[in-house]
């Protein structure tokens, strides 16, 4: 089976951020279920609105790649952007559609593999993708497609996983060191033990090279809840942002 078919079957089972420990028994696709999803996201990734600044793009044409349960897509729609969204899974498209409908909002949503985007060159002011591209078989192909569909002067905003981070270290301890296989690399551990099979994680330098066709690039690593959870407070206060699991990227076409 091709890698993206395996990625798809993983995410079809459960859209991102909708695990039972998050939704706590709420009926799937109910208002309460979506409220729990929002509550958890605001708790663990509270910095997203500051980083993205959704309201700056009122009236702009945006494409979100990998809408998942639609949490950020809702923010784009509430901010008055002209929304388009894609995802590899039917589950994500259905969930996002329902999520927006509860708020009386709509978007042009399609189930496709973003390695081939069904849009004309220069279609969008903004392409947004949070924690998605590193799951695909060929991330660099998606980045090429993003460049193609952006208008000149358009912007990409997204998040990729950071390879040298506290979370990677925790995974490496569990699946390499404590499993008696200390020779396993961080990349190998992340590929096999981080969400869908084939997940990749990067350094800021690697992402800068991946976005070299863009005229501007900014990459910033940030420490997240995923890094610090379960560490004693006194230890985690020593962790700098450059050990963070998320790398936020902004790139200008
Ligand atoms: C970790 S979730 C992130 C979802 C959402 N952006 C969020 O922040 O909650 C990854 C999502 O990426 C989607 N995805 C993975 N590879 C993709 C591809 N090649 N094309 C489109 N979507 C993809 C998955 O189906 C899944 O919904």
């Amino acid at each position: 089976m091709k890698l993206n078919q395996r990625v798809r079957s993983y995410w079809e089972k459960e859209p991102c951020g909708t695990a039972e420990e998050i939704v706590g028994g709420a009926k799937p696709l109910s208002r309460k279920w979506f409220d729990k999803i929002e509550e958890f996201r605001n708790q663990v990734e509270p910095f997203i609105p500051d980083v993205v600044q959704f309201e700056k793009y009122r009236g702009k044409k945006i494409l979100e790649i990998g809408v998942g349960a639609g949490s950020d897509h809702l923010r784009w729609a509430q901010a008055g952007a002209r929304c388009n969204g894609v995802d590899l899974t039917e589950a994500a498209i259905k969930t996002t559609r329902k999520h927006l409908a509860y708020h009386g909002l709509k978007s042009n949503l399609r189930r496709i593999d973003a390695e081939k985007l069904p849009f004309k060159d220069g279609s969008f002011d903004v392409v947004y993708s949070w924690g998605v591209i590193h799951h695909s078989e060929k991330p660099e192909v998606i980045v090429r497609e993003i460049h193609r569909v952006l208008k000149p002067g358009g912007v990409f905003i997204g998040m990729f996983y950071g390879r040298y981070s506290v979370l990677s270290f925790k995974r490496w301890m569990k699946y390499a060191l404590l499993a008696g296989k200390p020779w396993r690399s961080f990349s190998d551990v992340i590929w096999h033990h981080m969400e869908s099979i084939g997940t990749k994680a990067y350094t800021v330098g690697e992402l800068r090279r991946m976005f070299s066709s863009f005229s501007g690039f900014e990459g910033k690593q940030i420490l997240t809840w995923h890094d610090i959870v379960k560490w004693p407070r006194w230890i985690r206060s020593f962790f700098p942002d450059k050990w963070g699991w998320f790398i936020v990227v902004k790139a200008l076409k």
Side-chain angles (χ1 to χ4, degrees):
M1 204 195 268
K2 284 208 164 138
L3 186 75
N4 276 3
Q5 284 173 303
R6 297 175 70 190
V7 172
R8 179 177 175 192
S9 63
Y10 177 91
W11 293 109
E12 286 287 9
K13 286 189 198 105
E14 184 181 276
C16 192
T18 66
E20 190 48 37
E21 58 269 30
I22 296 173
V23 296
K27 187 166 171 263
L29 303 179
S30 66
R31 185 69 196 243
K32 190 168 169 213
W33 188 76
F34 282 116
D35 288 347
K36 295 247 183 203
I37 291 167
E38 291 309 307
E39 201 180 298
F40 182 73
R41 193 168 180 92
N42 291 335
Q43 186 197 327
V44 301
E45 299 178 20
F47 42 80
I48 293 179
D50 268 356
V51 167
V52 181
Q53 300 189 308
F54 298 96
E55 63 294 338
K56 241 177 79 179
Y57 301 97
R58 171 172 297 276
K60 300 288 184 196
K61 194 170 171 199
I62 76 116
L63 170 66
E64 179 170 358
I65 296 177
V67 290
S71 297
D72 291 347
H73 212 60
L74 175 63
R75 289 167 163 159
W76 284 110
Q78 287 174 325
R82 289 183 285 145
C83 291
N84 298 264
V86 298
D87 200 285
L88 193 54
T89 70
E90 205 53 64
I93 296 303
K94 183 175 157 201
T95 306
T96 298
R97 190 167 285 135
K98 187 89 183 171
H99 203 163
L100 266 61
Y102 272 121
H103 297 262
L105 295 163
K106 275 190 180 158
S107 170
N108 171 29
L109 295 164
R110 293 170 78 161
R111 194 209 75 74
I112 53 114
D113 182 336
E115 291 189 11
K116 190 159 170 34
L117 291 173
F119 303 105
K120 291 195 182 120
D121 298 4
S123 298
F124 298 100
D125 300 294
V126 180
V127 176
Y128 176 74
S129 190
W130 194 262
V132 173
I133 299 168
H134 45 231
H135 291 300
S136 202
E137 182 174 359
K138 295 181 185 140
E140 62 291 348
V141 172
I142 299 188
V143 172
R144 210 183 304 145
E145 280 290 84
I146 292 171
H147 188 271
R148 182 183 67 73
V149 301
L150 272 174
K151 294 177 184 171
V155 65
F156 168 79
I157 306 170
M159 181 276 284
F160 291 80
Y161 292 155
R163 182 158 74 248
Y164 299 113
S165 58
V166 182
L167 179 57
S168 299
F169 177 69
K170 286 195 290 190
R171 292 276 155 144
W172 180 83
M173 288 282 284
K174 180 172 178 186
Y175 294 103
L177 191 65
L178 299 176
K181 298 174 184 168
W183 55 85
R184 288 187 80 182
S185 64
F186 279 21
S187 296
D188 181 43
V189 167
I190 291 165
W191 180 283
H192 291 280
H193 306 286
M194 178 51 68
E195 303 169 327
S196 46
I197 186 82
T199 303
K200 293 153 273 294
Y202 298 92
T203 64
V204 173
E206 286 166 352
L207 290 171
R208 187 185 301 281
R209 281 192 288 285
M210 203 193 289
F211 282 83
S212 57
S213 58
F214 286 69
S215 67
F217 174 91
E218 222 179 87
K220 191 175 178 300
Q221 203 153 354
I222 47 180
L223 198 66
T224 66
W225 173 88
H226 310 281
D227 297 291
I228 62 177
V229 66
K230 293 189 185 150
W231 288 90
R233 196 176 284 272
W234 69 271
I235 296 185
R236 68 198 202 198
S237 63
F238 291 104
F239 295 163
D241 265 329
K242 66 177 181 194
W243 292 357
W245 177 233
F246 286 3
I247 300 177
V248 175
V249 167
K250 290 190 183 172
L252 191 72
K253 178 165 173 181

